[in-house]
Amino acid sequence: MSGTLSTQFHAYLRQRHPQAPADDGAADGTQIALWDRFGLSAEAFATEVTSFTGLERVALRELLAASPAVSEFSERFLREVLGYPYKTAEDVAVFAMADPTDQAVRRAAELVLGPHTLFRVASHEDIAVVLDQRLGGSEEAEMSPAQELRDDDIESLRDLASGAPVVRAVNDLIEKAVEMRASDIHIEPFSTGLVVRLRVDGLLRPIAAPSGVLPQAVISRIKIVAGLNIAERRLPQDGAARIRAGRAEIDVRVAIMPTQHGESAVLRILPKDRSQLVATRLGLSSRDDAALKRLITLPHGMIVITGPTGSGKTTTLATILSLLNTPERKILTVEDPVEYEIPGINQSQIKPAIGLTFASALRSFVRQDPDVIMVGEIRDIETAHVAVHAALTGHLVLTTLHTETAAAAVPRLLDLGVEGYLLRSTLRAVIAQRLVRQLCEHCKTARPLDEEICQQDPRFGHLGLVPGDITWHPTGCERCGGGGYRGRVGVFELLELTSSLRQLIADSADGLAIDRQAIQEGMTTMLDDGVAKCRAGVTSASELLRVLVAR
């Protein structure tokens, strides 16, 4: 700031806000905005300016409705001084400023607009919004939020993405997702504008899209945060960032995909708080929990977690690793990507572009003298062979596989080329799982199962439920956002390899035969585990039907 008026304004703020720091700039010599220095919000600062100067206050809707006069000014000047020139209906020149006490800026505005220019007060956030919408246009043609920027206008897009409105919009979106306990944010462009949905407890839930900002600017801001190339709009990109949302520090994995109407973005939210990695939160039955804790103490062998994408396999693996993580054990992991950072464990991420694949990492792991090896996923023949041989040579190997049931993992590994005799020697157990929504503890209700509902949907018979059985149902309250569910829990089946099951592998039996034999020997299926949770009030019958029973 310069001039007597700005000095007086600074003294005025100092008197009204004595708690502000005494220095006038940052440690590196950069100037700190007055509102930041005195801890004032945009509205509070504009109120102080209006009170001190006696100038009129102008609102965002008036700025947007007025005819812009930005063509005579450089974009950098307007953004740096946070000023917005426009014409009234009577063709009077007005210059709205966040800080009209800056005499140098006022003189510059008068040189361009004329000596009769009127000055008004507007909040710095409102000016940033209207500048984002008007810059790059002219007095005759205004930029609408849905209007596309030129493909080669990268610098303008970068400036927009770094502006306060876009930064605030993206931050607010991430904080909203964290507040709603969302696992993913989906930002999708359509001809009508952006559509934003949050995946909460496994289901997508639409929310209001950021307003007053360009869709391209939102995507570009996400790219900047994730360290991606904002100029590349033709190819998919993946990135990651560590950011602070409110009081929580979170990791965000970003996937950008070009679509017909622009680029879509999916942000996977990974909270830094790993207190959830405890066995009791998984939802294993007491029998399966005891079996798992016994299995992971084995000195060697392979334990496989199966299920479709989004079924919680990574969380189960991370929880097992947390149980195994002691100073006496060396644990190595290779993942794609590293979703849970666990202190004390050596974690690697695959990079196929430079030849670091699951199989190549596994070969190197064996020479690192590990006790436990975790392979994020067995995707091909080579990885399957290396994993099995690592288990055969004295290591405990944990991995995942995409199959519907625990028993189906056996024929799948055989299909991948693993020899039957090696599989019988190394495979210790297979855990299949799904995630079901938990009923909200504050509003769930118990009532008899209605006969009419059972007749309309014969799938209730698959659950072993009959009319009159007492089951728990969602109701909805403020704590669960009206949905009746809050959080998710796993339903599991744990297949432990016995001598009879190993004989079936030797006989090349199919998954159904292995499944029948395992059930005869006491394995609890995912359906049985889910029904037990349903009767206990953990989840509802309708949720089990949605996740486990086909229509």
Side-chain angles (χ1 to χ4, degrees):
M1 294 193 305
S2 62
T4 304
L5 187 61
S6 55
T7 304
Q8 292 173 349
F9 179 51
H10 187 281
Y12 169 82
L13 288 177
R14 172 69 59 197
Q15 183 179 8
R16 291 176 59 85
H17 303 278
Q19 75 283 359
D23 59 281
D24 291 341
D28 61 359
T30 58
Q31 185 71 17
I32 301 175
L34 277 178
W35 47 86
D36 286 334
R37 190 184 313 162
F38 288 91
L40 298 174
S41 67
E43 287 300 310
F45 184 79
T47 300
E48 295 284 17
V49 173
T50 304
S51 176
F52 177 78
T53 61
L55 296 175
E56 284 186 31
R57 175 83 176 271
V58 59
L60 177 60
R61 67 175 179 276
E62 298 173 68
L63 295 175
L64 293 172
S67 176
V70 297
S71 59
E72 300 299 323
F73 295 86
S74 75
E75 176 181 339
R76 175 171 293 182
F77 172 79
L78 294 178
R79 289 191 180 278
E80 285 182 355
V81 305
L82 281 173
Y84 177 66
Y86 64 92
K87 297 283 185 71
T88 66
E90 294 77 23
D91 202 35
V92 176
V94 181
F95 196 81
M97 298 177 66
D99 179 13
T101 66
D102 194 324
Q103 295 299 307
V105 175
R106 291 180 65 151
R107 286 193 294 271
E110 287 175 338
L111 284 174
V112 176
L113 299 174
H116 301 295
T117 301
L118 299 180
F119 291 92
R120 298 284 184 266
V121 178
S123 78
H124 59 84
E125 289 184 351
D126 289 348
I127 291 176
V129 169
V130 73
L131 286 178
D132 281 343
Q133 295 198 26
R134 298 294 186 259
L135 285 175
S138 66
E139 296 182 11
E140 292 78 19
E142 299 179 11
M143 180 184 289
S144 125
Q147 185 176 339
E148 294 291 332
L149 289 171
R150 299 191 314 272
D151 285 344
D152 59 350
D153 200 2
I154 301 303
E155 287 307 313
S156 295
L157 192 57
R158 190 186 301 277
D159 288 341
L160 281 176
S162 302
V166 176
V167 171
R168 187 174 63 254
V170 173
N171 289 346
D172 288 348
L173 188 59
I174 294 173
E175 287 183 12
K176 176 76 170 177
V178 172
E179 179 186 336
M180 294 180 64
R181 301 171 295 103
S183 59
D184 301 87
I185 305 173
H186 292 248
I187 303 172
E188 302 156 322
F190 293 98
S191 58
T192 54
L194 279 184
V195 172
V196 179
R197 296 183 291 174
L198 304 181
R199 188 173 295 281
V200 182
D201 295 336
L203 296 180
L204 286 173
R205 183 182 301 180
I207 63 168
S211 59
V213 292
L214 286 168
Q216 307 102 298
V218 173
I219 299 297
S220 295
R221 176 61 191 170
I222 292 169
K223 285 183 175 181
I224 290 171
V225 169
L228 302 178
N229 181 8
I230 69 168
E232 179 55 73
R233 303 179 188 174
R234 301 164 300 170
L235 298 173
Q237 296 188 70
D238 295 317
R242 180 170 297 175
I243 61 176
R244 180 167 292 277
R247 295 184 178 181
E249 189 180 51
I250 61 172
D251 282 340
V252 177
R253 308 292 179 188
V254 177
I256 305 291
M257 173 64 69
T259 67
Q260 182 180 2
H261 297 289
E263 292 176 297
S264 70
V266 177
L267 285 70
R268 168 66 57 87
I269 298 174
L270 305 167
K272 293 296 294 176
D273 178 15
R274 299 310 184 200
S275 60
Q276 63 205 36
L277 296 180
V278 291
T280 53
R281 293 199 178 190
L282 291 178
L284 287 161
S285 66
S286 57
R287 177 181 178 276
D288 288 348
D289 184 59
L292 177 61
K293 288 178 178 176
R294 174 172 46 81
L295 286 164
I296 63 176
T297 61
L298 297 174
H300 51 80
M302 186 164 68
I303 299 174
V304 180
I305 315 292
T306 75
T309 301
S311 60
K313 300 187 299 296
T314 302
T315 301
T316 299
L317 276 179
T319 303
I320 294 173
L321 290 177
S322 296
L323 294 174
L324 290 168
N325 189 18
T326 63
E328 295 78 25
R329 291 191 182 95
K330 178 163 184 176
I331 303 175
L332 301 176
T333 78
V334 55
E335 308 169 58
D336 182 27
V338 177
E339 293 193 9
Y340 290 91
E341 289 187 16
I342 307 173
I345 294 179
N346 298 278
Q347 297 174 267
S348 304
Q349 181 168 325
I350 68 167
K351 296 181 177 66
I354 60 173
L356 181 58
T357 63
F358 282 122
S360 63
L362 267 175
R363 289 194 187 92
S364 299
F365 279 3
V366 175
R367 296 190 290 273
Q368 291 286 317
D369 188 30
D371 298 295
V372 180
I373 297 173
M374 191 271 269
V375 187
E377 183 184 345
I378 291 181
R379 298 176 178 173
D380 51 45
I381 295 174
E382 188 179 14
T383 307
H385 274 284
V386 179
V388 167
H389 280 87
L392 194 65
T393 53
H395 306 92
L396 180 62
V397 177
L398 308 172
T399 188
T400 71
L401 201 62
H402 285 268
T403 62
E404 287 291 314
T405 64
V410 173
R412 172 62 179 150
L413 288 169
L414 293 173
D415 287 343
L416 283 172
V418 178
E419 293 85 350
Y421 72 92
L422 288 177
L423 195 59
R424 294 199 309 273
S425 302
T426 57
L427 187 61
R428 298 290 179 262
V430 182
I431 303 170
Q433 66 179 83
R434 300 289 188 279
L435 291 176
V436 295
R437 291 180 293 169
Q438 285 182 278
L439 288 166
C440 175
E441 288 293 333
H442 298 93
C443 65
K444 65 181 181 181
T445 56
R447 60 175 182 266
L449 196 59
D450 187 81
E451 184 172 357
E452 184 178 349
I453 293 178
C454 291
Q455 290 177 349
Q456 291 175 352
D457 193 342
R459 294 183 300 160
F460 280 100
H462 294 296
L463 301 179
L465 298 173
V466 296
D469 281 353
I470 301 297
T471 55
W472 295 81
H473 302 264
T475 301
C477 65
E478 291 183 358
R479 289 182 176 88
C480 61
Y485 297 93
R486 185 175 175 84
R488 289 190 291 175
V489 68
V491 289
F492 299 89
E493 59 185 33
L494 192 155
L495 185 152
E496 188 173 358
L497 269 290
T498 61
S499 56
S500 56
L501 290 174
R502 288 192 173 90
Q503 184 58 48
L504 288 176
I505 295 174
D507 296 338
S508 300
D510 60 18
L512 289 176
I514 294 172
D515 196 43
R516 283 194 298 267
Q517 181 63 33
I519 292 172
Q520 287 179 10
E521 295 182 2
M523 182 185 76
T524 302
T525 66
M526 281 186 288
L527 196 60
D528 291 338
D529 188 37
V531 171
K533 288 181 170 66
C534 177
R535 295 185 185 276
V538 175
T539 189
S540 67
S542 57
E543 179 68 2
L544 290 182
L545 293 178
R546 182 184 72 84
V547 175
L548 296 178
V549 182
R551 292 190 176 275

